Amino acid sequence: MLIHKFDSHKCGASKQVFCNFAANLKTMSKSPVNIALFASGNGSNVQNIVEFFHNNPVINPNLIFTNKADAFVIERAKNLNIPCIVFKPSELRDGQIIREAIQEFQIDFIVLAGFLLKIPDYLIELFPQKIINIHPALLPKFGGKGMYGDFVHQAVKDSGDTETGITVHYVNREYDEGQIIFQKKVPVLASDSPDDIAQKVHALEYEYFPKVIKDLLT
Ligand code: GRF
């Protein structure tokens, strides 16, 4: 595995890329659909998606983006041998690093998996109906700004709802308001803690999110 560090003079940012160019060139020659995965934290969905599509000739997750320099997804990227680009929120808004990377890695489709920043308009315009997100509840309930991770599961618990689930949706200019592609429900028991709910939702995510991506792209 090669480790590339691009200096701030050249790229306008601290940008770390962990690469196996040989592997990338091999898969790119078959013209697969290249996917960039965006995550802000743990990255368990990112890992699950990358492993699901391992050796898939058609779908190739070949780039990871994160806005957090200490996100565990960076460690996962190293272990998975996938390039990982770390950017600051201002660099997402500015767009130069993102556009350069998208061009360099010939990205066709974007998957948000636990990514907490708003996607800027230029990216939505570059990828019309080609950016999807997973939300850990049944939208339109429990969505919007600030509704992520444990906040969502706590809100579900507090609501007394007897079911929750996952929603995969296209990304538009508003948080969690894009067209819904897929939902799957799971029961919530009165005895479930927010952690129990989170576990049930994660299990759904791991089972269904890669399959939804596959169905969309093949
Ligand atoms: C997932 O529950 C996802 O639905 C939400 O953020 C969480 C990310 O978890 N958008 P992980 O980083 O994939 O472990």
Side-chain angles (χ1 to χ4, degrees):
M1 183 177 73
L2 299 173
I3 299 179
H4 293 263
K5 291 193 178 182
F6 296 87
D7 62 34
S8 54
H9 171 69
K10 195 175 168 196
C11 299
S14 53
K15 180 167 113 173
Q16 296 172 293
V17 177
F18 308 98
C19 245
N20 182 337
F21 282 115
N24 273 327
L25 287 173
K26 192 164 171 251
T27 49
M28 278 164 63
S29 67
K30 294 178 189 168
S31 297
V33 178
N34 292 330
I35 301 179
L37 298 152
F38 280 61
S40 297
N42 181 19
S44 65
N45 277 283
V46 164
Q47 179 168 346
N48 185 50
I49 291 164
V50 170
E51 288 174 347
F52 182 91
F53 290 111
H54 183 63
N55 284 339
N56 185 303
V58 179
I59 297 172
N60 178 39
N62 65 333
L63 185 59
I64 296 168
F65 284 103
T66 184
N67 59 305
K68 290 269 185 191
D70 59 351
F72 190 64
V73 72
I74 298 169
E75 193 61 29
R76 293 186 194 269
K78 273 198 245 185
N79 294 334
L80 293 164
N81 218 8
I82 300 260
C84 183
I85 294 176
V86 184
F87 58 81
K88 298 177 192 141
S90 59
E91 291 166 337
L92 175 64
R93 289 193 298 274
D94 166 72
Q96 188 188 345
I97 286 173
I98 312 290
R99 286 173 203 265
E100 281 176 7
I102 280 169
Q103 197 169 17
E104 181 178 343
F105 290 92
Q106 301 182 11
I107 299 303
D108 303 297
F109 196 80
I110 292 177
V111 172
L112 313 184
F115 185 66
L116 300 183
L117 300 183
K118 196 144 191 285
I119 294 299
D121 289 355
Y122 72 83
L123 208 47
I124 292 170
E125 281 156 22
L126 269 177
F127 289 86
Q129 296 291 83
K130 288 181 184 170
I131 307 176
I132 64 169
N133 178 47
I134 188 159
H135 186 77
L138 298 170
L139 291 174
K141 296 183 94 174
F142 309 112
K145 193 167 166 39
M147 288 303 272
Y148 60 90
D150 292 341
F151 294 110
V152 175
H153 307 306
Q154 183 68 55
V156 170
K157 172 78 186 163
D158 294 345
S159 74
D161 279 6
T162 56
E163 59 183 16
T164 186
I166 57 170
T167 303
V168 180
H169 64 94
Y170 288 109
V171 172
N172 67 9
R173 288 181 167 76
E174 306 304 325
Y175 274 112
D176 301 326
E177 287 188 15
Q179 182 193 341
I180 290 173
I181 299 163
F182 175 87
Q183 291 188 307
K184 189 78 186 175
K185 294 176 181 173
V186 66
V188 176
L189 307 178
S191 57
D192 280 343
S193 67
D195 275 354
D196 296 328
I197 298 171
Q199 274 189 29
K200 289 180 178 183
V201 167
H202 270 302
L204 288 184
E205 290 175 343
Y206 301 150
E207 180 172 359
Y208 291 101
F209 199 16
K211 289 181 190 164
V212 172
I213 295 167
K214 188 177 175 192
D215 285 351
L216 275 176
L217 297 179
T218 52

